[in-house]
């Protein structure tokens, strides 16, 4: 069963499509405006979207652009005013297909089946590329990685809660997924939640679910992440960014293994192993009053620290060679190799983005380099590292640190032509965290 959002200002079209989709076992949600669709999409996750081009207020093309920017599922554009220009433009904006009204039942069903199959395949491929394996993470001979390997394999079989700490890009999510894969819960779901990426007003619904009518826009019952993870593992990433109000409710669930949906009265029991991760010092956050000490002690039963790449010595070279082999196998091209000078340059760099940044650097060289040997001058580690910004000596340490960070972010933004997603990836931080930094420093992003 797929969750499908239908956006059309004609009630007859909405109801007809909904009837067809329900008969096929799908769950349709109906929306009659672009503004309503964008709001609905922010609250719910959908497997497929039907979108009319002619809408009151925000038109279909604008909605399509917004949805695709937000990483939407396949979008099937429908219109009674279809023409070649509209179809071409919709396709360029990322539409999966273009159907003209009046809709053909056979064409609708065929397109839905193809779109859902493509979505499933795309998600599988994305997951394969997105997540390292434990073997990749543990490539190397450093003592730090031997210790991590031992900790992971010791903690995995138990049901104890684990708190994973480490810098962005170091591999905390990989460790969490590996703990699940090596546990007795491996056949059950692994559900991940990025606590920093969910707005405060939606986090409770995201974690605990909601009942129909619990708030504006809650048009259906919805399961939360705790319920979806029943029998398996719930990974709370960036736990240090969770609000105190939500922390209190999570603590209660950890104590009682029960909760109620937003707007609900029924008590739901779950069997969930919770693994949390953070790049912050939770002890410092506790001292500052922004993190609950009782929740910290509940989560920190088994602590695991993922070492930064700069602390792993020659592992940098071994990882780089591994990524070069992998990219060559994926693309069917001859494997490139590092000269001794290029390998030395990689080892000398301090890698603020850790393994994620190293992989991006190697992938860029594997794609752009024409020769078989990568020389030191071919290794581009970011123009911002060539010269540090000049800092006023009269500033306090905090002011100087903030000024350096601001100038560094600005330089990387210029390097990536204002693309926030690519900049965040290069910096080794979540995009939501980078947006917060931009707002704090008053940096306005302008893309050419």
């Amino acid at each position: 069963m797929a969750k499908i959002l239908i956006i059309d200002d004609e009630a007859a079209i909405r109801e007809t499509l909904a009837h067809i989709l329900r008969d096929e076992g799908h769950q349709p949600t109906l929306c009659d405006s672009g503004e309503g669709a964008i709001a609905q999409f922010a609250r719910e996750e959908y497997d497929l979207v039907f979108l009319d081009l002619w809408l009151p207020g925000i038109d279909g093309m604008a909605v399509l652009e917004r949805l695709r920017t937000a990483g939407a599922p396949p979008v099937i554009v429908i219109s009674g005013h279809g023409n070649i220009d509209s179809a071409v433009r919709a396709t360029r904006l990322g539409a999966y297909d273009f159907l003209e009204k009046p809709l053909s039942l056979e064409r609708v069903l065929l397109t839905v089946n193809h779109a859902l199959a493509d979505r499933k395949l795309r998600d599988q491929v994305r997951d394969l590329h997105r997540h390292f394996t434990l073997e990749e993470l543990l490539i190397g001979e450093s003592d730090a990685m031997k210790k991590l390997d031992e900790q992971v394999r010791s903690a995995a079989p138990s049901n104890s809660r684990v708190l994973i700490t480490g810098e962005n890009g170091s591999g905390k999510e990989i460790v969490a997924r590996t703990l699940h894969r090596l546990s007795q819960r491996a056949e059950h779901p692994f559900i991940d939640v990025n606590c920093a990426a969910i707005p405060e007003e939606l986090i409770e619904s995201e974690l605990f679910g909601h009942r129909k009518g619990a708030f504006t826009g809650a048009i259906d019952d919805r399961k939360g992440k705790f319920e979806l993870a029943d029998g398996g593992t719930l990974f709370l990433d960036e736990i240090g960014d969770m609000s105190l109000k939500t922390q209190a409710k999570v603590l209660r669930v950890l104590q009682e293994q029960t909760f109620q949906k937003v707007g609900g009265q029924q008590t739901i029991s779950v069997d969930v192993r919770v693994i949390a991760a953070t790049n912050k010092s939770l002890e410092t956050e506790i001292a500052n009053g922004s993190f609950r000490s009782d929740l910290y002690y509940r989560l920190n039963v088994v602590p695991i620290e993922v070492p930064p790449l700069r602390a792993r010595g020659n592992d940098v070279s071994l990882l780089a060679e591994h990524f070069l082999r992998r990219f060559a196998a994926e693309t069917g091209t001859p494997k490139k190799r590092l000269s001794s000078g290029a390998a030395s340059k990689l080892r000398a760099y301090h890698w603020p983005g850790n393994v994620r940044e190293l992989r991006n650097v190697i992938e860029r060289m594997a794609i752009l380099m024409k020769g078989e040997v990568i020389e030191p001058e071919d290794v581009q580690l970011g123009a911002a590292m060539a010269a540090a910004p000049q800092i006023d000596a009269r500033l306090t340490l905090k002011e100087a640190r903030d000024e350096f960070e601001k100038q560094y972010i600005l330089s990387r933004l210029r390097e990536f032509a204002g693309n926030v997603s690519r900049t965040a990836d290069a910096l080794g931080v979540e995009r939501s965290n980078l947006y917060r930094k931009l707002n704090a420093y008053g940096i306005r992003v302008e893309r050419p």
Side-chain angles (χ1 to χ4, degrees):
M1 180 184 73
K3 294 182 65 176
I4 301 176
L5 180 61
I6 302 171
I7 311 165
D8 198 304
D9 61 335
E10 297 183 54
I13 297 295
R14 294 196 303 271
E15 293 299 334
T16 298
L17 271 175
H19 181 73
I20 293 171
L21 296 172
R22 288 192 189 100
D23 285 348
E24 294 298 310
H26 301 303
Q27 181 182 341
T29 298
L30 312 185
C31 194
D32 62 1
S33 70
E35 293 87 346
I38 292 171
Q40 182 63 30
F41 193 81
R43 289 190 293 266
E44 298 280 350
E45 294 181 2
Y46 292 94
D47 302 299
L48 184 64
V49 176
F50 277 94
L51 173 63
D52 184 21
L53 287 183
W54 293 78
L55 294 170
I58 300 177
D59 68 13
M61 286 295 185
V63 173
L64 175 60
E65 190 168 9
R66 291 281 293 274
L67 293 187
R68 297 309 301 172
T69 302
V75 177
I76 300 172
V77 168
I78 54 176
S79 178
H81 309 274
N83 54 52
I84 296 299
D85 290 341
S86 297
V88 170
R89 188 179 171 207
T91 302
R92 286 177 176 172
L93 286 175
Y96 178 82
D97 205 345
F98 185 96
L99 303 181
E100 288 191 65
K101 299 175 183 178
L103 299 174
S104 162
L105 172 62
E106 291 77 12
R107 179 74 188 278
V108 167
L109 294 178
L110 183 64
T111 305
V112 167
N113 290 336
H114 285 171
L116 292 176
D118 287 352
R119 167 80 187 278
K120 182 178 180 180
L121 179 61
R122 186 185 68 185
D123 288 348
Q124 290 172 343
V125 172
R126 180 198 62 200
D127 288 342
L128 286 173
H129 287 275
R130 179 182 170 194
H131 304 298
F132 301 117
T133 63
L134 178 64
E135 288 72 22
E136 267 190 350
L137 175 66
L138 296 179
I139 285 174
E141 303 168 348
S142 63
D143 291 340
M145 298 315 294
K146 292 176 182 177
K147 178 181 178 182
L148 178 62
D149 186 16
E150 181 180 348
Q151 287 179 318
V152 169
R153 297 187 187 281
S154 297
S158 74
N159 280 320
S160 299
R161 300 184 190 104
V162 179
L163 179 61
I164 306 169
T165 56
E167 298 177 4
N168 280 324
S170 58
K172 298 188 294 296
E173 183 178 349
I174 309 160
V175 171
R177 289 181 177 274
T178 305
L179 287 167
H180 173 73
R181 180 167 59 86
L182 298 180
S183 74
Q184 298 177 1
R185 299 172 177 265
E187 300 302 318
H188 297 280
F190 177 92
I191 304 295
D192 63 307
V193 181
N194 187 328
C195 302
I198 303 173
E200 169 61 23
E201 61 271 16
L202 297 178
I203 185 68
E204 288 187 39
S205 171
E206 189 75 16
L207 291 174
F208 310 120
H210 62 249
R211 298 289 295 174
K212 180 179 179 180
F215 50 83
T216 302
I219 59 177
D220 292 300
D221 289 353
R222 181 184 181 186
K223 290 183 177 181
K225 300 298 187 182
F226 270 98
E227 191 171 359
L228 292 172
D230 190 23
T233 302
L234 178 64
F235 177 49
L236 298 176
D237 198 8
E238 304 295 351
I239 188 71
D241 291 299
M242 183 179 285
S243 71
L244 287 169
K245 177 183 176 183
T246 308
Q247 289 175 35
K249 298 197 174 185
V250 170
L251 176 63
R252 190 178 307 119
V253 177
L254 296 183
Q255 291 171 335
E256 303 172 4
Q257 291 282 291
T258 61
F259 62 92
Q260 292 179 341
K261 292 184 177 182
V262 176
Q265 302 296 324
Q266 179 184 0
T267 298
I268 300 172
S269 299
V270 291
D271 173 22
V272 174
R273 182 188 192 183
V274 173
I275 298 174
T278 181
N279 63 353
K280 295 183 176 182
S281 167
L282 293 187
E283 293 91 340
T284 301
E285 298 297 311
I286 292 170
N288 294 337
S290 56
F291 201 85
R292 295 178 61 109
S293 60
D294 46 5
L295 177 58
Y296 171 73
Y297 293 121
R298 286 278 178 178
L299 294 173
N300 194 32
V301 177
V302 179
I304 293 180
E305 182 177 1
V306 184
L309 185 55
R310 62 181 173 276
R312 296 174 53 182
N314 194 52
D315 289 355
V316 173
S317 298
L318 298 176
L319 277 166
E321 291 290 348
H322 166 77
F323 288 134
L324 286 172
R325 285 193 298 272
R326 197 183 83 172
F327 293 136
E330 289 177 352
T331 59
T333 57
K335 173 185 172 295
K336 296 177 173 62
R337 62 182 179 86
L338 295 167
S339 69
S340 59
S344 296
K345 186 173 181 179
L346 291 175
R347 288 194 299 270
Y349 184 52
H350 69 285
W351 299 108
N354 291 295
V355 180
R356 182 190 300 155
E357 184 182 5
L358 173 63
R359 184 178 64 166
N360 291 344
V361 168
I362 298 300
E363 182 176 9
R364 183 163 61 244
M365 290 191 296
I367 293 172
L368 298 179
M369 285 296 304
K370 301 303 180 185
E372 293 185 7
V373 180
I374 298 174
E375 300 293 347
E377 58 269 21
D378 301 320
V379 180
Q380 300 298 319
L381 298 175
M385 303 310 299
Q390 296 299 311
I391 303 297
D392 189 339
R394 294 170 296 180
L395 299 177
T396 67
L397 178 61
K398 182 180 185 305
E399 290 170 339
R401 184 173 61 242
D402 290 345
E403 181 62 23
F404 180 88
E405 185 176 61
K406 177 181 177 180
Q407 296 302 325
Y408 181 56
I409 291 173
L410 281 168
S411 66
R412 299 312 296 268
L413 276 170
R414 287 192 292 269
E415 180 184 350
F416 293 104
N419 187 308
V420 176
S421 295
R422 292 180 62 197
T423 302
D425 203 31
L427 292 174
V429 300
E430 296 292 340
R431 186 173 60 178
S432 57
N433 289 343
L434 180 55
Y435 272 119
R436 280 197 290 270
K437 294 285 188 183
L438 296 177
N439 290 332
Y441 292 133
I443 298 174
R444 181 180 177 184
V445 179
E446 295 182 0
R447 296 192 60 184

